[in-house]
Amino acid sequence: MGEAGTVMEHAKFEPVAEGGVTLPTGFRAGGVHCGLKKNGHNDLGAIVCDVPAAAAAVYTTNKFQAAPLLVTRDSLAQEGRLRAVLVNSGNANACTGRQGEEDARAMRAGLAQALGIPAHQVAVASTGVIGQPLNMAAIRSGIGLLTERLGDGASGLTAFNEAIMTTDLVRKLAGARVTVEGRTVTIAGVAKGAGMIHPNMATMLGFITTDAAIAPSALQELLRETADVTFNMITVDGDTSTNDMVLAMASGLAGHAELTRGHPDYPAFAAGFRYVCEELAKAIARDGEGATKLMEVLVTGAVSDASARVIARTIAGSSLVKSALFGADANWGRIIAAVGRAGEPVNTDTVDIRLGDIVTLEQSRPVPFDEEAALAYLKGDTVRIRVDLNMGPGRATAWGCDLTYEYVRINADYRT
Amino acid sequence: MGEAGTVMEHAKFEPVAEGGVTLPTGFRAGGVHCGLKKNGHNDLGAIVCDVPAAAAAVYTTNKFQAAPLLVTRDSLAQEGRLRAVLVNSGNANACTGRQGEEDARAMRAGLAQALGIPAHQVAVASTGVIGQPLNMAAIRSGIGLLTERLGDGASGLTAFNEAIMTTDLVRKLAGARVTVEGRTVTIAGVAKGAGMIHPNMATMLGFITTDAAIAPSALQELLRETADVTFNMITVDGDTSTNDMVLAMASGLAGHAELTRGHPDYPAFAAGFRYVCEELAKAIARDGEGATKLMEVLVTGAVSDASARVIARTIAGSSLVKSALFGADANWGRIIAAVGRAGEPVNTDTVDIRLGDIVTLEQSRPVPFDEEAALAYLKGDTVRIRVDLNMGPGRATAWGCDLTYEYVRINADYRT
């Protein structure tokens, strides 16, 4: 994990390779094909908790928020607790007007009825094409089948994963275990998203589950601050979707006293939570539409963390930097051009740029480097760009991917 | 020119098809190959005026401004008049430190000496790779040859055009004639630029000449306000270069009284000037790296022109909209997603979207349209996207191009 992981290395958590949202105590998941996707893959999924879980969510900043987000907000506003989330792919239910809102409410009511729980304990999410009415008959019949197929093992998880994927090539899972009051607490997450991805909740869905005991307000605060340094630091193509959200649910079944900022084990929990979010965020960037590699951009020496964030995201989002990465071209000129147009304070005489361990610019002066070594490094599946502005204590990490022929191919005929 | 041209249609000017910077009285141009480009094409060019011309310039907003920009600023600060501009391609002389500044000054001094004029009457510009020292021996010998080859006809213009091109596929010329005090005034321009192009003077060079009589300060004001609605409204890939500038020179040889805002023929001159700038800007967008078509985005009904500008540029710069255009996909969902993430006031219930004359969204509700007709329209070489927010009087036009395999190919191995 390199530099980006330093914050986490100070707090104790154990990564869980086989992480999945059914891992924490109290959660089941499942998925079915109800008819929204033409390819026959699962397109309707749910995560269900045995008890009302403390819940929190962050949403897209796009002004056109899709109907399911409005309905999920409404659910969370009631008591901040959820028993379930219902997700469909194949149709975003966005820009669908009043009918779209009614459909999202009907999805919520349908799952609530099938599970015998109050409607406000259900969240809904959708992803897919914008502006087309949902096939509600398909969803209604799917809900019946789905509730029969919920499972807490690998099969439920696999079925759910397939149900939330659109152009994703790989499933994105992460998990961590931490110790709270001597008990094992598990945190796990799944995510989808490969295109229309940009800081501020762009076409991605993330679902985090944990058996930790934590109040909804504390979970909301943790999710917001964690999303800012993980999900909101990835960019695939600069586009921000109408539908994205990350939802966290905490069952409390680990049985310890409620976590607050003052709890001695809060730092470990927060570190595990951040690890899960960061792994999911990086998985989304690496699986960016058409991507062949993950780009990690670390900016240090900025005047503030906020300034470092803007610069890191500008570099990670630059079409020219992304194209150069695809071509394994050590074109640091494009990196410094991105630094210069980010609109943040920069001393044009003190910038250092490194590609991996290869120094290409020092105090804004080009440093001769071994082109062969740089080519070999850039051909790898992870490229770390490090920019030190040498001005202040601000630092941030952003993640992106290369821009490839395949990105263009996917997006030139997505809808047809 | 459609809607975008309405402002100009009220003032009289006559487009000149064979426009070029040598057209206005008093200007010569030329270009030679001095050894900076590997392909043997011209890489050093100049425009020279018989008299000290009133001059004005606008520059990139990138914090890393290349050395030639600093030197040109210095020249213009002296008396606001220029006799010549020297341009090289193949090397941007950017991020080259103190040596780069000395080299830019040496370029200026070299041409001044060859022409027998003061150094501060010479501007310099460079475009090409960042971070490599200029081959000054090549440039010095090139200047000698160049000054022997200046011409006021088509050959000088053609040679100059080649000298400023990098990844450009076509030369970009525009011209207009207007009448001032009964005399014919000619305005002409050339530009280069195909990649690293984004609002605010991104990797592009533009040179406008005219034989109008106008004071440097009035020319500067006109250039700034015109650049804001033309050159600063194009985007190819969202990247802003370190080197871009647009330079205007007015010889005054048309022999009328100095143009000021109060002059009865100022509107005609300003309209012709804007026409030339807009044609060059559109030519740059249409020749965007890898582009197969021009995208023109007109936003109306915004709360202000400034707000309309941001929204229009966000749409024109969206990778997803650009990819959809390449695939001739009438994916208005991506357009509305771009509107929603632009960060400007939007009423999510009142948006209309048209592709050419095809209405796809009305009052934010999808309108069924003929997919075949849309496909045929989107396959054309110019696509007009019109978004009406129905909120206020703000309007703006932005230009861009589609995102293609070829863009990726060009930028994956530009440097190597």
Side-chain angles (χ1 to χ4, degrees):
Chain A
M1 293 206 298
E3 288 288 335
T6 49
V7 174
M8 281 165 276
E9 281 153 16
H10 301 302
K12 282 180 212 150
F13 66 88
E14 180 199 342
V16 180
E18 75 281 19
V21 287
T22 51
L23 221 51
T25 308
F27 293 93
R28 289 170 297 152
V32 297
H33 173 69
C34 76
L36 304 177
K37 276 182 187 163
K38 293 172 192 162
N39 62 9
H41 290 177
N42 286 354
D43 47 22
L44 190 69
I47 302 171
V48 177
C49 186
D50 296 340
V51 297
V58 286
Y59 307 92
T60 182
T61 55
N62 197 299
K63 291 221 164 56
F64 292 90
Q65 295 206 343
L69 275 63
L70 306 179
V71 173
T72 293
R73 272 184 206 279
D74 177 70
S75 285
L76 282 178
Q78 307 294 315
E79 50 168 340
R81 292 194 177 265
L82 293 176
R83 286 287 305 277
V85 55
L86 180 65
V87 193
N88 75 274
S89 55
N91 186 320
N93 192 15
C95 300
T96 42
R98 196 170 300 274
Q99 184 62 49
E101 264 188 70
E102 280 172 25
D103 290 346
R105 281 180 203 283
M107 281 178 65
R108 176 171 73 169
L111 186 65
Q113 190 173 21
L115 295 173
I117 58 175
H120 72 260
Q121 289 186 352
V122 176
V124 287
S126 300
T127 178
V129 175
I130 294 175
Q132 294 182 4
L134 271 178
N135 178 346
M136 286 305 294
I139 288 179
R140 278 198 193 89
S141 70
I143 287 173
L145 194 61
L146 177 62
T147 48
E148 290 166 18
R149 295 210 187 154
L150 296 168
D152 58 5
S155 68
L157 178 64
T158 302
F160 177 77
N161 247 303
E162 185 179 309
I164 65 174
M165 283 161 74
T166 52
T167 52
D168 307 57
L169 295 178
V170 299
R171 56 188 211 159
K172 299 158 185 85
L173 305 175
R177 286 207 183 86
V178 298
T179 302
V180 176
E181 299 172 9
R183 293 161 197 260
T184 295
V185 165
T186 306
I187 307 158
V190 300
K192 72 76 55 175
M196 214 189 245
I197 285 175
H198 194 63
N200 297 316
M201 298 292 104
T203 305
M204 51 149 299
L205 296 174
F207 303 98
I208 320 285
T209 59
T210 176
D211 41 25
I214 183 169
S217 59
L219 186 61
Q220 181 65 45
E221 198 179 327
L222 177 62
L223 177 60
R224 175 152 306 284
E225 70 186 28
T226 306
D228 276 347
V229 293
T230 57
F231 295 112
N232 286 340
M233 290 305 288
I234 58 175
T235 178
V236 167
D237 55 18
D239 279 275
T240 303
S241 137
T242 52
N243 282 61
D244 303 330
M245 81 178 170
V246 177
L247 185 74
M249 296 166 72
S251 72
L253 296 176
H256 53 80
E258 226 172 53
L259 283 168
T260 59
R261 242 163 231 280
H263 192 294
D265 293 325
Y266 183 87
F269 178 71
F273 192 88
R274 177 170 169 170
Y275 169 77
V276 168
C277 291
E278 184 176 318
E279 288 300 300
L280 293 177
K282 283 157 69 172
I284 291 169
R286 187 185 289 282
D287 193 31
E289 284 174 347
T292 69
K293 62 192 75 184
L294 175 71
M295 174 186 353
E296 181 172 281
V297 180
L298 171 63
V299 172
T300 57
V303 294
S304 67
D305 286 355
S307 180
R309 269 201 286 274
V310 172
I311 295 167
R313 290 195 296 192
T314 303
I315 297 167
S318 159
S319 293
L320 288 168
V321 171
K322 289 156 61 74
S323 300
L325 232 64
F326 176 50
D329 178 3
N331 197 323
W332 59 263
R334 294 179 179 174
I335 297 169
I336 203 158
V339 171
R341 74 173 162 87
E344 293 295 319
V346 171
N347 181 336
T348 56
D349 292 326
T350 63
V351 179
D352 301 339
I353 296 180
R354 275 197 275 163
L355 302 171
D357 293 327
I358 301 165
V359 178
T360 63
L361 200 75
E362 205 163 44
Q363 298 292 309
S364 297
R365 279 190 295 271
V367 175
F369 58 90
D370 181 342
E371 294 271 356
E372 288 305 310
L375 183 69
Y377 177 70
L378 293 171
K379 281 188 167 167
D381 73 348
T382 301
V383 170
R384 293 196 172 82
I385 296 173
R386 182 167 172 165
V387 175
D388 193 339
L389 302 179
N390 290 300
M391 293 175 77
R395 58 186 294 144
T397 304
W399 296 274
C401 59
D402 51 346
L403 174 62
T404 69
Y405 300 123
E406 192 60 10
Y407 174 84
V408 177
R409 193 194 61 74
I410 292 168
N411 285 298
D413 55 22
Y414 173 72
R415 203 183 59 112
T416 45
Chain B
M1 292 206 301
E3 288 288 337
T6 48
V7 174
M8 283 165 273
E9 282 153 16
H10 302 301
K12 283 180 212 150
F13 65 89
E14 179 200 342
V16 180
E18 75 283 18
V21 287
T22 52
L23 220 51
T25 308
F27 293 93
R28 289 170 296 150
V32 297
H33 173 68
C34 75
L36 304 177
K37 276 182 187 164
K38 292 172 193 163
N39 61 9
H41 290 177
N42 287 356
D43 47 22
L44 190 69
I47 301 170
V48 177
C49 186
D50 295 341
V51 296
V58 287
Y59 307 93
T60 181
T61 56
N62 197 300
K63 291 222 164 55
F64 291 89
Q65 293 206 342
L69 275 65
L70 306 177
V71 172
T72 293
R73 272 184 206 279
D74 177 69
S75 285
L76 281 178
Q78 307 295 314
E79 50 169 339
R81 294 195 176 263
L82 294 176
R83 286 287 305 277
V85 55
L86 180 65
V87 193
N88 76 273
S89 55
N91 187 321
N93 192 14
C95 300
T96 42
R98 195 169 301 274
Q99 184 63 49
E101 263 187 71
E102 282 171 25
D103 290 346
R105 281 180 202 283
M107 282 177 66
R108 176 170 73 168
L111 185 67
Q113 190 173 19
L115 295 172
I117 58 176
H120 72 261
Q121 290 185 352
V122 177
V124 288
S126 300
T127 177
V129 175
I130 294 176
Q132 293 181 6
L134 271 179
N135 178 346
M136 285 305 294
I139 287 179
R140 278 198 194 88
S141 70
I143 287 173
L145 194 60
L146 178 62
T147 49
E148 291 164 19
R149 296 211 186 153
L150 296 168
D152 58 5
S155 68
L157 178 66
T158 303
F160 176 77
N161 247 303
E162 184 179 310
I164 64 173
M165 283 163 73
T166 53
T167 52
D168 307 58
L169 295 179
V170 299
R171 57 188 210 157
K172 298 157 186 86
L173 306 175
R177 286 208 181 85
V178 299
T179 302
V180 175
E181 297 172 9
R183 295 161 195 261
T184 295
V185 165
T186 306
I187 307 157
V190 300
K192 70 77 54 175
M196 213 190 245
I197 284 175
H198 193 62
N200 297 315
M201 298 294 102
T203 305
M204 52 150 300
L205 296 174
F207 303 97
I208 320 286
T209 59
T210 176
D211 40 25
I214 183 170
S217 59
L219 187 62
Q220 181 66 44
E221 198 179 329
L222 178 63
L223 177 61
R224 175 153 306 284
E225 69 187 27
T226 306
D228 275 348
V229 293
T230 57
F231 295 113
N232 287 340
M233 290 305 288
I234 58 175
T235 178
V236 167
D237 55 18
D239 279 273
T240 303
S241 136
T242 52
N243 282 61
D244 303 329
M245 81 176 171
V246 177
L247 185 74
M249 295 166 72
S251 72
L253 296 176
H256 54 79
E258 224 173 56
L259 284 168
T260 59
R261 240 162 234 279
H263 192 293
D265 293 325
Y266 183 87
F269 178 72
F273 192 88
R274 177 170 168 169
Y275 169 77
V276 168
C277 291
E278 184 176 316
E279 289 300 300
L280 293 177
K282 283 157 70 171
I284 291 169
R286 188 187 288 281
D287 193 31
E289 283 174 348
T292 69
K293 61 192 76 186
L294 174 71
M295 173 187 353
E296 180 172 282
V297 180
L298 171 64
V299 172
T300 57
V303 293
S304 67
D305 286 355
S307 180
R309 269 201 287 274
V310 172
I311 295 167
R313 290 195 296 191
T314 303
I315 297 167
S318 159
S319 292
L320 288 168
V321 172
K322 288 156 62 73
S323 301
L325 232 62
F326 177 51
D329 178 4
N331 197 325
W332 59 264
R334 294 180 180 173
I335 298 170
I336 203 158
V339 172
R341 74 174 162 85
E344 292 297 318
V346 172
N347 181 337
T348 56
D349 292 326
T350 62
V351 179
D352 302 339
I353 296 179
R354 275 197 277 161
L355 302 171
D357 294 328
I358 301 165
V359 178
T360 64
L361 199 76
E362 205 163 45
Q363 298 291 311
S364 297
R365 280 190 295 272
V367 175
F369 58 90
D370 181 342
E371 293 271 355
E372 288 306 310
L375 182 68
Y377 177 69
L378 293 171
K379 281 188 168 167
D381 74 347
T382 301
V383 170
R384 293 196 173 84
I385 295 172
R386 181 167 172 165
V387 175
D388 192 339
L389 302 179
N390 289 302
M391 293 174 77
R395 59 186 293 145
T397 305
W399 297 274
C401 59
D402 52 345
L403 174 62
T404 68
Y405 301 123
E406 193 60 10
Y407 175 85
V408 177
R409 193 194 62 71
I410 292 168
N411 285 297
D413 55 21
Y414 173 73
R415 204 184 58 113
T416 46

